[in-house]
Amino acid sequence: MADQTPKWVYSFGGGAADGSAADKDRLGGKGAHLAEMSRIELNVPAGFTISTDVCAAYYEQGRSLPEELKPMVDEALEKMAAIAGAHFGDVEHPLLVSVRSGARASMPGMMDTVLNLGLNDKTVEGLARRTGDRRFAYDTYRRFIQMYADVVLGLDHGLFEDILENYKALKGFELDPQLQAENWVEIIGAYKALVAKEFGMPFPQDLREQLWGAISAVFGSWQNARAIAYRRLHDIPDDWGTAVTVQTMVFGNKGDQSATGVVFTRNPSTGENALFGEYLLNAQGEDVVAGLRTPQPLTEKQSAANGNGKASLEALMPEAFAELKASCAALEKHFRDLQDIEFTIEEGKLFMLQTRSGKRSTQAALKIAVDMAEEGIISKQEAVASLDPARLDQLLHPTLDPNAEMTVLAKGLPASPGAASGEIVFDADEAVHMKAQGHTVILARIETSPEDVQGMHAAVGVITTRGGMTSHAAVVARGMGRPCVAGAAAAHIDLERETLEAGGAVMHKGDIVTIDGSSGKLIKGRVTMRQPDLSPDFATLMEWADGFRRMDVRANADTPADARHARDFGAEGIGLCRTEHMFFQENRIVAMREMILAETKESRRAALAELLPAQRQDFIELFEIMAGQPVTIRLFDPPLHEFLPSEEDAIVDVAEAMGVGVAQLKRRIAVLSEFNPMLGQRGARLLVTYPEIVDMQARAVFEAAIEAGAELHDRVRPEIMVPLVATKRELDIVKERILVTARAVEEERGTSLAFQVGSMVELPRACLMAGEIAESAEFFSFGTNDLTQTTFGLSRDDAGRFLGEYADKGIINHDPFMTLDAAVGELMEIGVTRARAVRPDLKIGICGEHGGDPQTIVFCEKIGLSYVSCSPYRVPVARLAAAQAALKSQL
Ligand code: ADP
Ligand code: MG
Ligand code: MG
């Protein structure tokens, strides 16, 4: 008959183990790694781990342990006893154990642990006789009573501390080590009296009762408030449960050849390949955690660096240190990652108590990955896969000095990373003006619009009091690599008085503020910063990543400055150049407005002709900077009204500047006004109805290609992209205009042009009709910002109002404007399939905000896109994410 009892208890110790590192789900990280350390014959005190399945059973049975567990635990205790040479409950050879928590994911310090279990009035005497140290035995007993009372009986440990402190004061002791056995005996008497009074029952003398009590309490600690909050924060499922490890105690508190400590196999903040740790002499693990004594540096190197004269373990116990060093090297090699290790030295003998992957700074993560690959511990693929692309961002922007003091005035959304200090200004033109005079400014607005773009560019950082992660300010700032705090609702901006009020302070124009776009903080005054310093490791890792990547990475860049950044960060072309941004510049917007106000084709053509030279010059520069790499130029996309003033004062000003009547201007504004401009006459619809715009833009592109091409030996290959296409016919009409212009330019210049005409795919209809559209389009680019808006029927400028609540209520689990929504993804997939059925080699990219999002990039790899395009500062992130996606897809 098959054995029906599941395996619930896994022993380890003595160079062997039932479980291994692969059993994290059952044994928790701690239990699985203790088993693995035993297997590789490191010196691990013997013990056993009760699986997470029992945790589930414990909660199913209303917080009680299943009866079947008991014989399994008894058997495991026997095995442990045989290795340890001591027995649980044996008065002469008492076995002391720790009862430790440990979940699948590390939750440091969130759950409970009981140390020194197995002591009662009889075994404490046995321990004293065995060790020949009564002081130690009774010190250990009182530690146990205190911890057990706290964790298992739920008594406030402060009460015990009071007893100890009062006792010391009364007897004139200053430090615990001065207390002798008799003193501890007296204190234990007081502790037991306290337990009897507070708990209503004497302190348990039955060792089994102690053990079951501790095991139950540790399972119970899975549901303590601290642990629950931690799981929320780190997305750890509630149903994983914790395992419980029962392990032979070793003692770091047995005199000056004993110690306990923590070591990282490399420096977790710099990544330097040198042990880094701290220890306490003559102490137990709990003392380190409690932070009652200041730990000492582990190595001589550290000791020299912090120069506080405290002796290192390396100097004090060279032999144990050498063994620790060897164990660290073995563990790092075995787990192939930085390890964070707990150890104890008992009378000169080293014991390993825990190992796990160490948390590290981004800088350290980068260095460790590159070093380990170069040392041959991991492969280059693993080095590339080990880095979280989202965290690369931190390396590319200045950050606040973590040790600096600061007065935080308000908190908003961390919309674009990096920190910046400058004089606060409330107007975009003022920002431009002040920058020209040599000031460093932070632009503060209630929200921003395209008219503010120049001001945002002039500023070193942007803060808004309204709007979300995909508000205009956030998107544009990320694109420019400007730090941005968006939607700091607690700050009040008075544009009239030019003040910002927050946190009880009033900041006037010109006052210095600091924003931190990585944490969303607005801070009063200047804060010291750390400059990004891109180590050679960065270049090395990127080069490896590029070698594994299938998709190209391009950048969204509208200006020469953006294009240069894009190239510096390794972009392989421009995936989106939004031409309309070129028209917001001071000297061009006048001609632009004339074009819009023109009521006849002729006057419109005349206004456009004025814009042509400037536009052509922009393209020449872009082509030259990109030096033969592909440049995708999107034809004019926004609704025209965006270029017209809306407020009364501004209308009067503009009318005057243009020499037209206020009434005439207002009439034109009224004619152009739409109920839903984002769904109105824009994109292809505008280009079909105002074909003169296409003519001018296509001419600017072609003339620029020829002029730049002369220098670049005809390597310029513009890709002209038509936005918001819904039907093949729209694309055909616009494409025909482009071709006519191309032929005209070719004839005029006596040369031939190489270029492509393609389509943005940003409407659900375009995805579904992709097969048809691909007959005319020579390339596709998914505009996932609009595609998300149109798939959800949701305006991204208005979504900020309720997306937060939607997230709280579990309606969405991420912002669909940041990480691609599954339905939008499905539409893309349909588009790719239908288009490639017609044109198998069709080049397809993505150029929405999502193009720089690592999760979205994995999806893009899966559906076979040719490239992703994102803001210049996200290019390194995308290069790494695309490499990881390619590696993943090969598995
Ligand atoms: P946490 O997960 O909070 O770190 P641990 O179970 O690791 O809890 O234990 C807390 C402290 O007690 C650690 O410093 C650990 O090294 C120490 N400790 C745990 N078990 C033993 C043992 N068997 N012998 C000596 N020290 C131990
Ligand atoms: Mg620990
Ligand atoms: Mg769009």
Side-chain angles (χ1 to χ4, degrees), residues 464-703:
T464 64
T465 53
R466 221 184 271 159
M469 291 293 282
T470 56
S471 60
H472 178 268
V475 173
V476 173
R478 276 198 294 277
M480 290 178 178
R482 290 286 180 286
C484 175
V485 172
H492 176 74
I493 290 179
D494 185 332
L495 291 173
E496 202 75 351
R497 289 167 46 214
E498 301 199 290
T499 56
L500 179 149
E501 258 187 88
V506 182
M507 307 305 287
H508 295 270
K509 181 178 133 188
D511 287 347
I512 301 284
V513 294
T514 299
I515 60 162
D516 180 15
S518 311
S519 64
K521 288 189 193 113
L522 169 67
I523 301 152
K524 191 174 171 179
R526 210 175 281 286
V527 182
T528 41
M529 310 266 180
R530 289 199 175 160
Q531 284 310 311
D533 122 58
L534 291 184
S535 62
D537 296 322
F538 181 79
T540 307
L541 194 96
M542 280 297 147
E543 197 187 305
W544 294 346
D546 289 345
F548 302 130
R549 189 149 59 74
R550 180 190 62 78
M551 291 188 291
D552 285 343
V553 174
R554 298 192 188 182
N556 300 346
D558 308 336
T559 63
D562 286 349
R564 273 188 213 102
H565 278 127
R567 288 227 54 168
D568 289 347
F569 285 131
E572 295 159 308
I574 292 179
L576 175 64
C577 170
R578 308 173 187 86
T579 49
E580 60 272 15
H581 283 196
M582 296 171 169
F583 299 124
F584 278 108
Q585 289 172 26
E586 197 54 56
N587 49 345
R588 301 184 188 176
I589 196 154
V590 178
M592 189 65 197
R593 284 175 174 155
E594 279 169 1
M595 188 278 281
I596 297 168
L597 292 178
E599 294 185 34
T600 63
K601 268 191 195 302
E602 288 63 41
S603 49
R604 186 147 56 233
R605 273 191 194 286
L608 281 163
E610 274 182 62
L611 287 168
L612 175 72
Q615 177 110 91
R616 182 174 54 216
Q617 195 51 41
D618 287 331
F619 293 143
I620 291 175
E621 264 186 83
L622 278 187
F623 292 148
E624 284 174 351
I625 294 164
M626 298 316 287
Q629 290 186 342
V631 176
T632 306
I633 292 160
R634 182 179 71 186
L635 296 179
F636 197 87
D637 181 37
L640 292 179
H641 83 99
E642 274 192 14
F643 293 85
L644 296 180
S646 54
E647 269 144 43
E648 186 67 31
D649 297 2
I651 294 175
V652 174
D653 287 352
V654 169
E656 195 174 320
M658 300 187 55
V660 298
V662 170
Q664 190 196 346
L665 181 56
K666 280 192 176 167
R667 204 168 52 234
R668 192 65 187 149
I669 292 172
V671 166
L672 288 174
S673 98
E674 293 174 300
F675 285 107
N676 286 308
M678 293 320 277
L679 298 176
Q681 191 178 10
R682 54 171 286 224
R685 302 156 196 171
L686 185 70
L687 300 169
V688 166
T689 47
Y690 287 67
E692 309 80 26
I693 298 178
V694 180
D695 299 348
M696 184 280 280
Q697 290 201 297
R699 177 168 283 275
V701 170
F702 294 137
E703 291 181 356

Side-chain angles (χ1 to χ4, degrees), residues 7-10 25-28 49-56 69 219 242-244:
K7 186 167 175 63
W8 274 347
V9 174
Y10 294 71
D25 295 2
R26 287 244 155 80
L27 305 186
T49 300
I50 305 171
S51 94
T52 52
D53 295 336
V54 179
C55 189
L69 181 66
F219 279 132
T242 182
V244 173

Side-chain angles (χ1 to χ4, degrees), residues 634 637 682 724 760 762 783 786:
R634 182 179 71 186
D637 181 37
R682 54 171 286 224
L724 218 75
M760 282 288 273
E762 52 189 337
D786 270 310

Side-chain angles (χ1 to χ4, degrees), residues 48 73-84 86-88 208:
F48 58 87
V73 164
D74 285 338
E75 198 188 317
L77 273 174
E78 283 307 312
K79 270 196 200 167
M80 214 173 137
I83 298 171
H87 286 267
F88 195 66
R208 294 286 153 155

